[in-house]
Amino acid sequence: MTTRKKLALHWKILIGLVLGIVVGLTINSMWTESTWEGLGVGDVSSYLAGPTTAKESMVAGGPNEDAGAVAGGAKFLRNLNQFVGSLFMNGLRFIAVPIVLFSLAAGVASLNDITKVGRIGAKTVAIYLVTTAVAISIGLTAANLIDPGEGFDEGLRANLIAQQEANAATKVGNAEVQMDRDTWDVLLDIFPSNPFQAMAEGNTLQVVVVGLLLGVALTLIPKEKAKPLIAFFDGMTEVIIKIVEIVLILAPYAVFALLVDKIADLGLDLLKQLAWYSVTVVFGLALMMFVVYPGVLRMLTPVKYGRFFKAISPAQLLAFSSSSSGATMPVTMDCVEKRLGVSEDVTSFVIPVGATINMDGTALYQGVAAVFIAQMYGMDLSIGQQLTIVLTATLASIGTAAVPGVGIVMLVIVLEAVGLPLEGIAVILGVDRILDMCRTSVNVTGDCMVAAVVANSENELASADEMEARLAAEEATGLDEHPHEATADQYDGER
Ligand code: ASP
């Protein structure tokens, strides 16, 4: 008897994504049409905005009863949407800290060789820094060639600034807290004084340090004492990965919900007005993802284009829909190890560190945004200033937390360094979420690429034939006896 294979998770996510965009766009266009007014609802967005406003409108006795019911239904759906979306994001955030901690501690400890840790660490950080600098240079070049901010309408600029003033002020305020700190303090802050506080606050850079320290110390104490702890960290990593699988059940619905919410809110007119800016960012990101990374892989590893993208597409898709490379990390690790063939040792070091410090997409975006803002204000950036952007955007991207919307906060540091007006942030804020989704996919792709390069240099990258054999063996073994392998099979269900 043939059993029908279940639809693979990433196809379900893709369906959620497409449906979310379609429904979001439909709602967006309905709001601007007179349909709602025809219903007597007037400004539906006020019903959707929040309980107080809705109640106030009802009390004011404005719209008729039917219209109230329609708007009430719409509000309920919106709340439900936001609930599902937030539940999913909470689930992913729940996972992010423990997985960094356990996988790094177990990974470093199992390397069992302090020189190997140092070697892999040095290679990883060096490649991360070089690719980030390349990404910013691509962003700067694209923006200088396309000139998205040239001739930007002044009235429109003033309008956008007025609309987004409050939001932008919060972002600038957040960044200024960081900028007020001395460089020594910033460096010192990477090393936590209280590991539990670091975890509770979700300070991932500090958690990386805690994980590394635990791992290194485990290799330095007597083996019989280290063994049970390593087994514990290993076991906990498996447990967290299992929790990821559970959380991911919600992914297709959550992706739908998050996208409907964002796209319904997104001013399509705004998108048109900022079209050249958005196109420049997306063009730069596409170049990075589809040309630079595969090019580096071709030069330094035997991994072919198709194999690379086929292996990591679930992680890219999740990064796109969650806008968080930290939250995507467990899936990234799974793809890199089980589908791309990078050894566990390299994966458990390179990916957690990469998710925290390597943000090529964010850095590229910051480069484009800085040039766009300069052009919009008719300011010319000298070569020296552009070099300053390369330097500060590299640092800013390292400091960017791997959660949605932080890239634009750190942009303040870049603008400040070259003396660009901070209110420029208000102009681009409206399209930030959509660009965040794109840059996060690039951030994650960069981590995967570096993992393959480092693994290959350590002779720890499985060949394409080996991977075929492994997957075939997994399929033959079946799922039930090996529940952990369900992840790979879920993603590969269409094979
Ligand atoms: N959302 C991005 C990430 O998690 C960071 C950012 O650019 O805002 O990778």
Side-chain angles (χ1 to χ4, degrees), residues 185-192 203 205-207 209:
D185 288 342
V186 174
L187 281 177
L188 193 62
D189 197 38
I190 299 175
F191 301 92
N203 185 331
L205 258 186
Q206 292 190 349
V207 178
V209 172

Side-chain angles (χ1 to χ4, degrees), residues 322-327 355 358-359 361-363 365-366 400-409 432 435-437 439-441 443-444:
S322 68
S323 287
S324 168
S325 37
N358 182 47
M359 306 238 176
T362 300
Y365 146 86
Q366 287 169 341
T400 302
V403 289
V406 184
I408 198 164
V409 174
D432 191 61
L435 298 180
D436 194 2
M437 296 162 83
R439 63 185 189 243
T440 308
S441 308
N443 291 344
V444 166

Side-chain angles (χ1 to χ4, degrees), residues 86-263:
S86 306
L87 188 67
F88 178 61
M89 290 308 289
N90 281 357
L92 293 177
R93 287 197 192 104
F94 172 95
I95 295 152
V97 166
I99 193 105
V100 173
L101 181 75
F102 295 129
S103 60
L104 260 182
V108 173
S110 66
L111 288 180
N112 212 356
D113 170 358
I114 205 86
T115 46
K116 188 172 175 189
V117 178
R119 198 175 58 234
I120 294 186
K123 277 188 218 168
T124 306
V125 173
I127 308 176
Y128 279 154
L129 289 178
V130 173
T131 51
T132 304
V134 169
I136 307 166
S137 310
I138 290 181
L140 291 176
T141 313
N144 281 310
L145 289 178
I146 301 178
D147 282 343
E150 215 58 70
F152 196 83
D153 189 69
E154 267 182 43
L156 179 61
R157 189 178 78 200
N159 244 342
L160 290 172
I161 292 178
Q163 270 173 34
Q164 297 283 354
E165 217 171 8
N167 281 341
T170 324
K171 304 259 175 209
V172 174
N174 285 347
E176 263 159 7
V177 172
Q178 315 236 15
M179 284 191 303
D180 279 346
R181 290 160 57 219
D182 187 51
T183 319
W184 291 109
D185 288 342
V186 174
L187 281 177
L188 193 62
D189 197 38
I190 299 175
F191 301 92
S193 57
N194 179 345
F196 298 102
Q197 191 182 359
M199 285 182 259
E201 286 173 355
N203 185 331
T204 31
L205 258 186
Q206 292 190 349
V207 178
V208 165
V209 172
V210 177
L212 284 175
L213 273 177
L214 280 175
V216 169
L218 277 169
T219 62
L220 299 175
I221 62 171
K223 274 212 167 62
E224 67 285 0
K225 295 231 164 87
K227 231 172 148 193
L229 275 171
I230 298 177
F232 169 76
F233 289 135
D234 246 345
M236 282 309 289
T237 310
E238 292 279 312
V239 167
I240 300 291
I241 289 178
K242 212 10 112 199
I243 298 179
V244 176
E245 284 172 26
I246 297 169
V247 173
L248 283 186
I249 296 173
L250 204 61
Y253 314 99
V255 166
F256 169 80
L258 286 169
L259 276 171
V260 169
D261 205 47
K262 293 296 165 212
I263 295 197

Side-chain angles (χ1 to χ4, degrees), residues 367-438:
V368 175
V371 176
F372 172 75
I373 291 172
Q375 289 173 347
M376 201 170 56
Y377 283 91
M379 296 162 76
D380 263 339
L381 290 174
S382 65
I383 294 289
Q385 280 173 308
Q386 308 228 13
L387 284 176
T388 309
I389 294 179
V390 175
L391 194 72
T392 45
T394 304
L395 297 177
S397 71
I398 292 175
T400 302
V403 289
V406 184
I408 198 164
V409 174
M410 301 307 272
L411 175 63
V412 173
I413 295 173
V414 180
L415 298 182
E416 192 87 322
V418 283
L420 287 169
L422 298 186
E423 73 251 31
I425 298 237
V427 179
I428 55 173
L429 199 57
V431 289
D432 191 61
R433 181 57 185 236
I434 277 294
L435 298 180
D436 194 2
M437 296 162 83
C438 303

